[in-house]
């Protein structure tokens, strides 16, 4: 997984850090990363909203979430963040709660910690 550059009118940059993701059984890390890749536009939307209010917004955000036996996200929360921007953090969390993942093997609940790096392209 390389860097994902989201160059647009706001010059935002977003990088999911799949290599640092922690997955607790039932699903492969790559399966989770594939779903996150499909939803990057939602994360970008949240970050762009924050950039409009705070143009120098940048930081690392780690999300903690649980994928239920049916593949839906049952719980999602911000584990830690250096963004210091509650609206962006909550926006990403709320979108994450709507994502559907593959059904975990064995009908288990999967615990995931997934970090993201958000910063402007000019800062990379």
């Amino acid at each position: 997984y390389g860097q994902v550059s989201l160059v647009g009118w706001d010059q935002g940059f977003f990088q999911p850090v799949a290599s640092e993701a922690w997955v607790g059984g039932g699903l492969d890390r790559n399966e989770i990363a594939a779903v996150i890749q499909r939803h990057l536009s939602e994360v970008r939307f949240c970050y762009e909203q924050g950039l409009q209010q705070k143009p120098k917004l940048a930081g690392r955000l780690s999300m903690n979430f649980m994928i239920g036996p049916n593949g839906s996200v049952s719980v999602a929360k911000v584990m830690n963040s250096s963004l210091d921007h509650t609206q962006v953090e909550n926006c990403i969390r709320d979108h994450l709660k709507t994502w559907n993942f593959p059904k975990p093997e064995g009908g288990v609940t999967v615990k995931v910690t997934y970090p993201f790096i958000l910063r402007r392209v000019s800062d990379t």
Side-chain angles (χ1 to χ4, degrees), residues 20-118:
E20 295 179 27
W22 182 85
V23 179
L27 283 175
D28 183 79
R29 182 184 300 190
N30 293 332
E31 293 175 298
I32 293 170
V35 172
I36 290 171
Q37 289 291 325
R38 284 196 302 270
H39 291 277
L40 287 181
S41 62
E42 296 171 42
V43 176
R44 177 176 33 175
F45 169 80
C46 295
Y47 183 50
E48 287 176 355
Q49 294 284 319
L51 284 173
Q52 290 177 9
Q53 298 169 358
K54 193 174 177 182
K56 295 195 183 275
L57 181 65
R60 183 182 176 101
L61 171 67
S62 290
M63 297 299 299
N64 224 354
F65 57 99
M66 296 176 75
I67 301 168
N70 64 356
S72 65
V73 177
S74 57
V75 175
K77 63 181 180 177
V78 175
M79 183 175 167
N80 57 53
S81 175
S82 64
L83 288 176
D84 191 32
H85 201 290
T86 306
Q87 291 169 325
V88 172
E89 295 161 359
N90 290 343
C91 179
I92 293 171
R93 181 203 62 210
D94 292 345
H95 280 277
L96 178 61
K97 287 180 180 179
T98 68
W99 301 351
N100 288 306
F101 292 83
K103 292 180 181 178
E105 291 182 27
V108 299
T109 297
V110 179
K111 296 178 183 176
V112 181
T113 299
Y114 206 94
F116 300 95
I117 296 173
L118 297 102

